Amino acid sequence: MTTMTDAALAEFKMPDVGEGLTEAEILKWYVQPGDVVTDGQVVCEVETAKAAVELPIPFNGVVRELRFPEGTTVDVGQVIIAVDVAGGSGSTAAAPAAVSVPEPAAPEPEPESAPRGRQPVLVGYGVSEGSTKRRPRKGDVVAVPAAVTQPALAPEPEAPVKGNGRPLAKPPVRKLAKDLGVDLASLTPSGPDGIITREDVHAAVAPAPEPVVTQVQVQVQAQELVAAAPAVVQDGVRETRIPVKGVRKATAAAMVGSAFTAPHVTEFVTVDVTRTMKLVEELKADKEMQGLRVNPLLLIAKALLVAIKRNPEISASWDEAAQEIVRKHYVNLGIAAATPRGLIVPNIKDAHAKTLPELAAALGELVSTAREGKTSPGAMQGGTVTITNVGVFGVDTGTPILNPGEPAILAVGAIKLQPWVHKGKVKPRQVTTLALSFDHRLVDGELGSKVLADVAAILEQPKRLITWA
């Protein structure tokens, strides 16, 4: 999203990421005034209420000014960086201020020859004129920044073009194409509105072997969250105020909405998982699982998928507006992950159709991507059921709150060696406690109990993964 204020200065606005969001926080600038930038170069990282995203700039030039410092929340459509596009040298961008806050000013008119219409933005094909009116924030005065309604800048001559515009692709797809050496202008887009997809890029190169995916248990200490906050703690200060924004703000709203919308019921069961733990060790030595991280969470996830297959009525959602229950004949399995920016719940699409090795690979990629803070907004949408593994923190169990729109969430406690009656004798066995919270509008006590009992039965006798599946 760009505008031209004079013959040499181009302005880049906070893009519409296409997820119904109206603002984003600037986390980090990768460039400074005086730096030379090229078309497609990532200039900053921003955080929306759903994910952290890197923003590429759509033209060549020299950075004249950064309009906002790091840590500032900026509305979609506001100019965040000005670039001198004349000549591509630093001579025309002498002595700019490092960061400045723009004063309100009337925008200058654009050349009459600039084509009107949709503009290149962060995701896909851009917003049309005045489209930011569709998502006003609650409590705000509905107004459109003047810069948003101005005509779009004509494509730079040196940029790759397709027809009369730049190739349309999301930032991760552009980065993928750059890494693989693929010219986006040479591809035929298969996505909606002519958007180039990952599949288009992969189809243009020879298939490469899948990388080994390592699953890492995400454990974030409370002090890391405080350290990440833009607050300075001084000696003698007894309280610190941390602004609520980004992922934390979205999580808070979602949890309050879920807790006071869906009537929660939580049931518990304690189960001997000794045989499951033995199977985990056997699978680690299996050649079909080489290169994959095999752990108890993998078999717990598979057990839940089998339990849902045996009790498909639990896979549903409540449509309040239509007063309908929507049955879902698929499972997008969410995994709650703690990250430095807060709790997120990415999900594995169509997890019910995956083999055990495929599920292991998907789990590993999901967790490592979340840990790196690179989870995309799309990966957190469309979930149908969630697992939260509180056991990694040494916690026995909990009463988890439903992810909004989902019928159930399974909490897995710590697996501990405990005295247990086995074959008539008290023996040390590996035991854990499971907790299943469900929406009582959708799930009766009988159905919820059956699902939880099936998960426990599979973990006690993992051979049921075969006999029941």
Side-chain angles (χ1 to χ4, degrees), residues 1 3 13-14 76-78 117 119 127-133 144-152:
M1 188 182 296
T3 58
K13 301 174 183 176
M14 179 65 73
V76 168
Q78 283 191 280
Q119 305 168 355
V127 292
S128 57
E129 294 180 354
S131 63
T132 53
K133 292 181 180 178
V144 180
V148 175
T149 61
Q150 294 176 347

Side-chain angles (χ1 to χ4, degrees), residues 245 375 406 436:
K245 54 187 176 181
T375 302
E406 297 181 10
L436 183 73

Side-chain angles (χ1 to χ4, degrees), residues 106-167:
E108 297 182 19
E110 295 187 8
E112 289 295 327
S113 59
R116 294 181 179 273
R118 305 173 76 188
Q119 305 168 355
V121 296
L122 174 63
V123 177
Y125 207 70
V127 292
S128 57
E129 294 180 354
S131 63
T132 53
K133 292 181 180 178
R134 294 175 298 168
R135 291 181 294 277
R137 289 177 295 165
K138 187 177 294 185
D140 285 356
V141 177
V142 178
V144 180
V148 175
T149 61
Q150 294 176 347
L153 176 64
E156 295 292 331
E158 66 273 19
V161 297
K162 186 173 183 65
N164 293 324
R166 297 173 63 251

